[in-house]
């Protein structure tokens, strides 16, 4: 996918942005598995200009100044200024859902619709989220996918990791996958800035400020952020709706792309009217 | 060269089936396995053992910091060092913790270490570990993406607090202090020698060389793996044009000494196996939080990996451990020969010897300390004697009054008085 570098933070660092499709723009914020072009984004790009940034934060200059979720929110507001996006719908998955909610709470008038897929941002000690920072690749795949051996899981970065684990890093196939592992380490390390040691950064104090029509979409078998967490968003965002997706865990966009797109079509349609 | 006794203070009494029944010795090790009555005995045994090593002539005694584990349950090494400062006289106190990134504000470390330096009369070595991922990220919740930068800032702040005679303000990324002005100040000037325990992160080599810190490679992989790591360190020194003084490096080695080879295996075998199979039984999910290692170190580590990635190593036997060089074991002569070879091959001036290993009971540990201190240590001092050790405490014996150990005399109460 073609990508460009957009300057933010008064030019101190850049954010990589993948763009695809034409039509009304939509901002898409990826989850903790990283930015991976997928059938869901392909389908979305059929009648939208999809603007998908890669979260900054590890191993480049942004590491020197991104400490909190607020730093990241301001970086993305800079990005929207740079791309001249106003009144745009925002979709976010997992960590990206948390950031989307933070953005829409910070500048509510800037967003015409909010679609959150299994967003993070809350934590309940009596029903904790899965600790993906402390697990083996095998356990991770088993939590993120309803069927860790199925085609959705095989198309993901997890599958590359699993193959490396099976083959061993020394083997020819394994060493070819080392960069996959390094990329995963980078993505998770970025996520850790906003989710370590647990994902509560005080979104509950701000979420009520969101004014755009909002839909929350959750896999019914989400083993990473339990479906009960949908209630936090329904209670927090005035007028928010929930859509449930069958046969999906936390990687619902990979597992059920069509159902996910259908789930946000209402809110996206309302935004373009 | 210098020889120091290192003590991890492990929990010596885990059940036989520990590694089959529980997933980790660290972070979420079950608390019901901890018995404070046994811990009372073990803490006092550990202090006795270190004091004995000091009395028998080890150059230094080492304590360190770990959290939420049975592998080495000494979360505050400063408490141990405070006790040892009072009960030893001419031995270096090598505090291989504090994990300086964990303390807020880090000047607490500057203060406590200055206290230890004053109490001990200038015998402190200040260890600045980054800390393991288990300790810093999982047990203490520090964000792995920021740990290293926090560590660098803490190091700069502590050294400034020790050395700047004026009150100063600190406006850092992680610490904001309007008035820094610690009391007490360290006795050693400009400050105690700083040692950095490392586990093989390549960034640490350059950091130590640039800052003139000692780099101490602490691992249980033995001297064969140790050679790879120290070779990397010295290669970096070459690249930076820095003199390769062996005293700028240290290495930890497990040592078990007996009268004969067969006696050594018989006496120590089970305890060594306990150490390698139970004390290192860490759930792989806690091994390496994302961001804890830099991308360069991850890449280098993966490419150096043998065998299947992410699998736990097979159970170790005494034979494997001796053959692989994880342990140096044998008669005093055999141990002297091997340690001399280790110190020359790795070019290290400081050998930290772990004389209490795994489940080793107190009596056996004392015997190992006695044999090592009397029959091994004196026969190794000549190694690297041509170099000056600039990473050693200054022992201000000229400035302080050597006093006999205090013995309180409590007046006997007279009947009817």
């Amino acid at each position: 996918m073609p990508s460009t570098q957009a300057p933010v933070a008064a030019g101190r660092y850049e954010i990589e942005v993948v763009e695809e499709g034409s039509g009304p723009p939509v901002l898409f914020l990826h989850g903790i598995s990283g930015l991976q072009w997928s059938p869901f984004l392909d389908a979305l790009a059929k009648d939208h200009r999809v603007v998908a940034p890669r979260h900054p934060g590890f191993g480049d200059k942004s590491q020197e100044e991104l400490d909190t979720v607020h730093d990241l929110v301001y970086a993305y507001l800079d990005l929207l200024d740079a791309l001249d996006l106003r009144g745009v719908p925002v979709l976010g998955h997992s960590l990206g859902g948390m950031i989307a909610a933070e953005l829409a709470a910070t500048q509510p008038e800037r967003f015409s619709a909010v679609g959150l897929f299994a967003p993070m941002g809350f934590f309940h000690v009596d029903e904790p989220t899965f600790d993906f920072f402390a697990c083996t690749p095998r356990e991770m795949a088993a939590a993120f996918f309803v069927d860790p051996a199925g085609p959705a899981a095989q198309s993901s970065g997890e599958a590359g990791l699993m193959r490396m684990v099976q083959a061993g890093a020394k083997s020819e196939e394994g060493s070819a996958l080392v960069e996959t592992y390094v990329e995963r380490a980078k993505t998770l390390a970025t996520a850790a800035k906003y989710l370590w040691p647990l994902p509560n950064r005080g979104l509950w104090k701000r979420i009520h400020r969101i004014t755009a029509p909002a839909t929350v979409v959750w896999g019914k078998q989400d083993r990473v952020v339990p479906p009960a967490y949908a209630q936090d968003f329904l209670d927090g965002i005035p007028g928010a709706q929930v859509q449930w997706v069958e046969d999906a865990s936390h990687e619902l966009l990979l597992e059920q792309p069509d159902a996910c797109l259908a789930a946000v079509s209402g809110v996206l349609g309302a935004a373009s009217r | 060269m210098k020889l120091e006794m290192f003590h991890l203070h492990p929990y010596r009494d885990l059940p036989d089936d520990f590694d089959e029944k529980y997933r980790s010795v660290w972070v979420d090790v079950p608390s019901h396995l901890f018995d404070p009555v046994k811990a009372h005995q073990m803490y006092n045994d550990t202090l006795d053992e270190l004091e004995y090593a000091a009395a028998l002539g080890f150059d230094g005694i080492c304590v360190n910091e770990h959290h939420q584990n049975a592998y080495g349950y000494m979360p505050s090494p400063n408490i141990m060092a405070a006790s040892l400062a009072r009960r030893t006289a001419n031995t270096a106190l090598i505090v291989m913790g504090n994990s300086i990134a964990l303390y807020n504000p880090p000047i607490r470390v500057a203060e406590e270490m200055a206290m230890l330096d004053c109490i001990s009369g200038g015998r402190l070595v200040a260890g600045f570990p980054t800390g393991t991922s288990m300790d810093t990220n999982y047990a203490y919740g520090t964000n792995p993406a920021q740990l290293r930068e926090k560590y660098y800032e803490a190091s700069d702040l502590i050294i400034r607090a020790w050395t700047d005679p004026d009150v100063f303000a600190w406006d850092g990324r992680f610490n904001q202090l309007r008035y820094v002005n610690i009391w007490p100040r360290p006795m050693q000037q400009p400050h105690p020698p700083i040692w950095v325990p490392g586990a093989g992160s390549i960034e640490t080599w350059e950091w130590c060389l640039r800052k003139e810190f000692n780099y101490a490679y602490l691992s249980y992989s033995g001297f064969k793996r140790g050679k790879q790591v120290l070779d990397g360190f010295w290669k970096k020194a070459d690249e930076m044009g820095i003199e390769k003084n062996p005293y700028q490096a240290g290495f930890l080695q497990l040592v078990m000494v007996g009268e004969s080879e067969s006696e050594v295996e018989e006496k120590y075998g089970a305890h060594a196996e306990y150490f390698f199979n139970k004390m290192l039984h860490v759930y792989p999910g806690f091994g390496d939080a994302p961001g804890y290692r830099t991308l360069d170190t991850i890449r280098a580590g993966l490419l150096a990996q043998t065998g299947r990635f992410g699998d736990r190593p097979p159970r170790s036997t005494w034979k494997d451990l001796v053959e692989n060089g994880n342990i140096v074991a044998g008669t005093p002569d055999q141990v002297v020969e091997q340690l001399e070879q280790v110190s020359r091959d790795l070019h290290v001036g400081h050998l930290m010897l772990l004389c209490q290993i795994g489940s080793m009971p107190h009596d056996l540990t004392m015997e190992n300390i006695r044999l090592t201190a009397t029959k091994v240590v004196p026969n190794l001092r000549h190694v690297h004697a041509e170099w000056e050790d600039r990473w050693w405490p200054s022992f201000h014996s000229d400035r302080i009054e050597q006093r006999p150990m205090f013995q309180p005399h409590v007046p006997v109460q007279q009947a009817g008085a």
Side-chain angles (χ1 to χ4, degrees):
Chain A
M1 287 296 128
S3 78
T4 52
Q5 299 286 337
V8 295
R12 287 192 298 275
Y13 62 94
E14 295 175 327
I15 293 179
E16 182 189 348
V17 184
V18 175
E19 286 202 42
E20 188 66 27
S22 57
V26 55
L27 179 67
F28 175 80
L29 301 176
H30 70 80
I32 62 159
S33 310
L35 177 58
Q36 187 188 0
W37 202 261
S38 64
F40 169 81
L41 290 176
D42 256 344
L44 185 65
K46 280 195 180 115
D47 42 19
H48 291 88
R49 171 186 160 214
V50 177
V51 178
R54 190 185 302 280
H55 301 319
F58 191 80
D60 56 20
K61 282 184 189 151
S62 63
Q63 182 158 357
E64 291 161 22
E65 64 178 82
L66 285 173
D67 288 323
T68 68
V69 74
H70 306 292
D71 294 335
L72 185 61
V73 162
Y74 285 104
Y76 275 133
L77 292 176
D78 284 351
L79 178 73
L80 295 179
D81 287 346
L83 300 176
D84 197 25
L85 292 175
R86 284 160 217 286
V88 66
V90 58
L91 303 179
H93 168 227
S94 176
L95 167 66
M98 169 181 171
I99 299 163
E102 291 280 6
L103 274 168
T106 307
Q107 279 197 359
E109 65 286 357
R110 185 141 207 169
F111 300 96
S112 57
V114 176
L116 309 175
F117 299 94
M120 295 183 172
F122 284 79
F123 189 77
H124 298 283
V125 288
D126 50 356
E127 193 178 3
T129 52
F130 174 74
D131 191 0
F132 42 84
F133 290 128
C135 66
T136 62
R138 224 178 294 272
E139 291 162 343
M140 192 171 216
F144 277 61
F145 295 93
V146 167
D147 178 8
Q154 292 307 313
S155 73
S156 72
E158 296 308 324
L161 279 191
M162 295 293 284
R163 284 199 300 277
M164 192 182 99
V165 169
Q166 298 296 343
K170 269 279 192 221
S171 71
E172 201 173 317
E173 190 192 1
S175 59
L177 291 163
V178 162
E179 287 310 309
T180 313
Y181 187 88
V182 171
E183 180 58 34
R184 160 47 51 95
K186 190 170 159 177
T187 303
L188 272 178
T190 299
K193 287 202 162 185
Y194 313 110
L195 304 173
W196 188 280
L198 46 87
N200 173 17
R201 290 293 190 275
L203 178 58
W204 63 274
K205 290 184 265 188
R206 304 177 281 274
I207 193 169
H208 62 274
R209 291 175 40 81
I210 298 175
T211 52
T215 295
V216 183
V217 189
W218 230 283
K220 275 192 167 170
Q221 288 107 309
D222 195 325
R223 289 191 279 260
V224 177
V225 186
Y229 279 57
Q231 199 58 46
D232 296 319
F233 292 84
L234 296 177
D235 292 344
I237 306 173
Q241 309 281 316
V242 65
Q243 299 274 343
W244 299 103
V245 176
E246 302 281 347
D247 297 319
S249 182
H250 196 63
E251 288 290 4
L252 67 172
L253 295 180
L254 293 175
E255 297 176 286
Q256 303 296 344
D258 297 338
C260 286
L261 192 61
V264 290
S265 62
V267 82
L268 286 177
S272 58
R273 272 196 294 276
Chain B
M1 66 181 300
K2 303 275 193 344
L3 293 111
E4 298 104 11
M5 174 169 159
F6 199 112
H7 208 310
L8 285 170
H9 182 64
Y11 197 78
R12 306 196 304 248
D13 198 28
L14 291 178
D16 290 340
D17 60 356
F18 174 79
D19 48 323
E20 288 147 31
K21 211 164 164 186
Y22 305 102
R23 75 171 185 171
S24 193
V25 75
W26 221 305
V27 183
D28 61 358
V29 55
S31 69
H32 68 83
L33 299 176
F34 180 84
D35 177 347
V37 176
K38 286 178 184 166
H40 164 78
Q41 185 66 46
M42 291 182 210
Y43 275 119
N44 287 287
D45 286 348
T46 293
L47 290 165
D48 287 350
E49 289 157 12
L50 287 166
E51 289 169 18
Y52 189 49
L56 291 188
F58 269 94
D59 297 296
I61 46 179
C62 313
V63 290
N64 76 339
E65 170 178 338
H66 289 298
H67 301 277
Q68 296 190 184
N69 73 92
Y71 151 94
Y73 62 110
M74 207 191 280
S76 173
N78 299 359
I79 290 176
M80 303 298 269
S83 172
L84 292 167
R86 290 277 296 171
R87 299 267 301 165
T88 59
N90 297 307
T91 309
L93 293 176
I94 303 169
V95 179
M96 284 307 256
N98 299 172
S99 303
I100 55 174
L102 301 185
Y103 299 99
N104 183 12
I107 52 169
R108 173 68 183 229
V109 175
E111 292 170 330
E112 290 195 3
M113 285 189 163
M115 283 177 72
L116 286 170
D117 204 42
C118 290
I119 294 171
S120 68
R123 290 190 282 135
L124 180 76
V125 168
F128 284 6
T130 319
T132 70
S133 199
M134 293 84 84
D135 293 318
T136 58
N137 305 135
Y138 293 104
Y140 264 43
T142 304
N143 196 319
Q146 294 167 335
L147 179 71
R148 198 161 278 274
E149 281 135 11
K150 257 180 127 165
Y151 170 86
Y152 291 141
E153 183 176 322
S155 170
D156 290 345
L157 174 54
I158 291 167
I159 292 171
R160 175 98 184 265
W162 277 338
T163 54
D164 192 329
D166 298 321
V167 182
F168 65 90
W170 184 269
D171 183 16
R173 180 168 168 198
F174 305 103
N175 304 277
Q176 287 187 317
L177 298 162
R178 187 65 185 82
Y179 305 101
V180 182
N181 182 33
I182 62 162
W183 271 65
R185 303 292 175 123
M187 182 177 276
Q188 296 180 74
Q189 290 300 315
H191 59 74
I194 293 168
W195 291 18
V196 177
S201 285
I202 55 183
E203 294 73 20
T204 308
W205 299 339
E206 188 180 343
W207 162 256
C208 289
L209 288 162
R210 189 155 48 82
K211 295 274 181 179
E212 296 185 47
F213 298 162
N214 168 297
Y215 175 72
Y217 180 53
L218 307 187
S219 98
Y220 309 106
S221 321
F223 52 84
K224 289 177 186 167
R225 162 86 179 135
K227 169 107 177 96
Q228 290 174 10
V229 171
L230 268 303
D231 280 354
F233 177 74
W234 294 124
K235 188 164 163 266
K236 183 53 99 180
D238 269 341
E239 284 167 23
M240 295 170 72
I242 290 169
E243 181 185 57
K244 291 190 282 190
N245 183 328
Y247 288 107
Q248 195 169 0
F251 183 67
L252 178 128
Q253 182 62 58
L254 282 67
V255 168
M256 297 172 161
V257 188
E259 300 297 350
S260 71
E261 269 183 76
S262 59
E263 186 206 281
V264 170
E265 175 169 1
E266 189 190 317
K267 279 188 170 170
Y268 295 110
H271 305 302
E273 290 175 12
Y274 177 100
F275 180 83
F276 279 89
N277 296 326
K278 292 186 172 57
M279 301 284 93
L280 304 183
H281 179 71
V282 179
Y283 167 59
F286 292 141
D288 194 354
Y292 174 75
R293 288 178 206 284
T294 64
L295 298 180
D296 286 345
T297 298
I298 291 171
R299 199 176 280 116
L302 285 174
L303 293 171
Q305 195 110 31
T306 52
R308 281 168 52 125
F309 177 75
D311 280 357
R312 293 196 193 232
R315 272 180 148 247
S316 305
T317 64
W318 171 260
K319 199 163 158 283
D320 305 329
L321 296 171
V322 173
E323 276 175 12
N324 297 335
N326 301 94
I327 297 176
V328 168
T331 63
D333 289 348
Q334 290 172 323
V335 170
V336 166
E337 191 189 326
Q338 283 197 63
L339 290 182
E340 177 161 354
Q341 197 191 336
V342 170
S343 66
R344 291 197 193 277
D345 282 1
L346 275 59
H347 195 59
V348 292
H350 294 280
L351 273 185
M352 283 159 265
L353 305 182
L354 202 69
C355 299
Q356 192 288 331
I357 294 152
S359 49
M360 264 170 74
H362 182 56
D363 291 350
L364 183 57
T365 303
M366 295 296 259
E367 187 183 330
N368 195 28
I369 291 168
R370 181 177 56 79
L371 288 170
T372 308
T374 57
K375 298 191 172 174
V376 175
V377 168
N379 297 316
L380 286 166
R381 287 240 169 75
H382 64 282
V383 183
H384 301 309
E386 67 278 22
W387 293 90
E388 182 200 355
D389 187 355
R390 291 186 279 114
W391 292 268
W392 198 241
S394 21
F395 292 84
H396 285 283
S397 43
D398 53 327
R399 292 169 60 196
I400 57 171
E401 183 192 349
Q402 288 283 351
R403 303 187 305 183
M405 208 163 277
F406 175 65
Q407 300 289 344
H409 294 287
V410 180
V412 179
Q413 202 91 98
Q414 298 291 321

